[in-house]
DNA sequence: AAGATGAACAACCGCCATGTG
DNA sequence: TCACATGGCGGTTGTTCATCT
């Protein structure tokens, strides 16, 4: 477990503290390249071997929810919403199980989606009409999202970037840099230029 | 213009299941 | 069989940003 690693870190007091919080682009690239080359599995080893000051758990989560080439980002479609509601009515909060039926979607994404949007709408639906229908809920969702054109942090970071596993925009010292990292907008919580101010990885 | 509020999402935490020696 | 390491999952929290007042 993580506790074991932490205790080891305590024993070797000179070892740097395990990093927490938002991932930097540098870390993402390191992890992406390592997993692309060596494959995943044994995440603690991945974290160590890749030289990341992260727990294996953190690396796994980052890979699965974010870096995995087949992960889909962007708006949840109406079909997906229908499916989520249907499956949730059947299985409850079994997010990973539900996610398996939505290719490219992660359990975390579905969970967040449900908690922030669908749950709210279900509540609204219940208060206004106990016999609310899925269509009504979805229509409400569509109108609310289209009218507000709310720019979420992820949309800001990636737009509707769909990640193609074979699309690598550039390379840096032999390191493959996936297209996620080369979007013009800010990436995650940091700016690309913070790390490579002199390099244009878009090749422009 | 500035602060308050809420929405959205990334990431962590804790627990449990499984695998391995 | 037991102990430990690891992975997986669901719940929760923290941060950022857009909108509202």
């Amino acid at each position: 477990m993580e506790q074991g690693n932490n205790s080891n870190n305590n024993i070797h007091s000179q070892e740097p503290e395990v990093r927490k919080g938002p991932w930097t682009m540098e870390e993402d690239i390191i992890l992406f390249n390592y997993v692309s080359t060596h494959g995943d599995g044994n995440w603690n080893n991945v974290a160590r071997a890749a030289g990341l000051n992260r727990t294996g758990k953190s690396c796994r989560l980052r890979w699965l929810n974010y870096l995995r080439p087949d992960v889909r980002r962007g708006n949840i479609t109406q079909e997906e919403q229908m499916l989520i509601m249907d499956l949730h009515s059947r299985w409850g909060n079994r997010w990973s199980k539900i996610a398996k039926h939505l290719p490219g979607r992660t359990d975390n994404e579905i969970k967040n989606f449900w908690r922030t949007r669908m749950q709210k709408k279900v509540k609204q639906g219940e208060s206004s009409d106990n016999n609310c229908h899925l269509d009504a809920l979805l229509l409400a969702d569509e109108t609310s999202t289209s009218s507000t054109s709310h720019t979420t942090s992820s949309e800001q970071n990636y737009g509707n970037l769909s990640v193609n596993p074979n699309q690598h925009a550039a390379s840096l010292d032999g390191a493959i840099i996936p297209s996620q990292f080369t979007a013009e907008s800010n990436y995650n919580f940091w700016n690309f230029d913070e790390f490579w101010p002199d390099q244009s990885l878009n090749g422009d």
Side-chain angles (χ1 to χ4, degrees), chain A residues 34-96:
Chain A
Y34 186 90
V35 175
S36 297
T37 307
H38 300 92
D40 59 8
N42 198 343
W43 288 103
N44 281 329
N45 185 50
V46 168
R48 256 193 311 271
L52 290 164
N53 252 345
R54 295 275 183 174
T55 66
K57 221 173 202 180
S58 181
C59 291
R60 173 185 164 271
L61 203 66
R62 185 64 176 174
W63 174 259
L64 290 179
N65 288 336
Y66 214 79
L67 298 176
R68 209 168 34 131
D70 59 336
V71 73
R72 281 176 65 196
R73 308 202 68 80
N75 292 338
I76 305 256
T77 65
Q78 275 206 23
E79 289 75 20
E80 287 173 319
Q81 293 179 29
M82 291 282 284
L83 194 54
I84 290 169
M85 292 199 73
D86 179 35
L87 296 178
H88 186 270
S89 68
R90 275 194 257 173
W91 299 328
N93 297 354
R94 301 296 305 277
W95 304 118
S96 61

Side-chain angles (χ1 to χ4, degrees), chain A residues 5-144:
Chain A
N5 279 347
N6 289 339
S7 59
N8 283 341
N9 286 341
N10 291 336
I11 291 169
H12 306 287
S13 57
Q14 74 273 20
E15 284 190 27
E17 210 168 303
V18 175
R19 260 184 60 80
K20 288 183 181 179
W23 281 65
T24 64
M25 180 190 273
E26 195 176 30
E27 287 176 313
D28 278 347
I29 292 173
I30 290 170
L31 180 61
F32 183 90
N33 284 318
Y34 186 90
V35 175
S36 297
T37 307
H38 300 92
D40 59 8
N42 198 343
W43 288 103
N44 281 329
N45 185 50
V46 168
R48 256 193 311 271
L52 290 164
N53 252 345
R54 295 275 183 174
T55 66
K57 221 173 202 180
S58 181
C59 291
R60 173 185 164 271
L61 203 66
R62 185 64 176 174
W63 174 259
L64 290 179
N65 288 336
Y66 214 79
L67 298 176
R68 209 168 34 131
D70 59 336
V71 73
R72 281 176 65 196
R73 308 202 68 80
N75 292 338
I76 305 256
T77 65
Q78 275 206 23
E79 289 75 20
E80 287 173 319
Q81 293 179 29
M82 291 282 284
L83 194 54
I84 290 169
M85 292 199 73
D86 179 35
L87 296 178
H88 186 270
S89 68
R90 275 194 257 173
W91 299 328
N93 297 354
R94 301 296 305 277
W95 304 118
S96 61
K97 195 172 179 179
I98 293 171
K100 285 190 175 75
H101 289 74
L102 290 136
R105 300 295 185 185
T106 68
D107 55 351
N108 206 33
E109 189 178 11
I110 294 170
K111 180 170 57 182
N112 281 329
F113 172 76
W114 180 266
R115 291 182 69 87
T116 57
R117 281 178 267 184
M118 300 309 281
Q119 212 165 45
K120 181 182 65 183
K121 291 185 195 333
V122 168
K123 263 185 191 170
Q124 286 172 354
E126 280 174 352
S127 62
S128 62
D129 179 7
N130 286 334
N131 295 322
C132 62
H133 294 94
L134 285 179
D135 287 348
L137 292 172
L138 295 173
L139 187 63
D141 184 64
E142 188 179 33
T143 53
S144 66

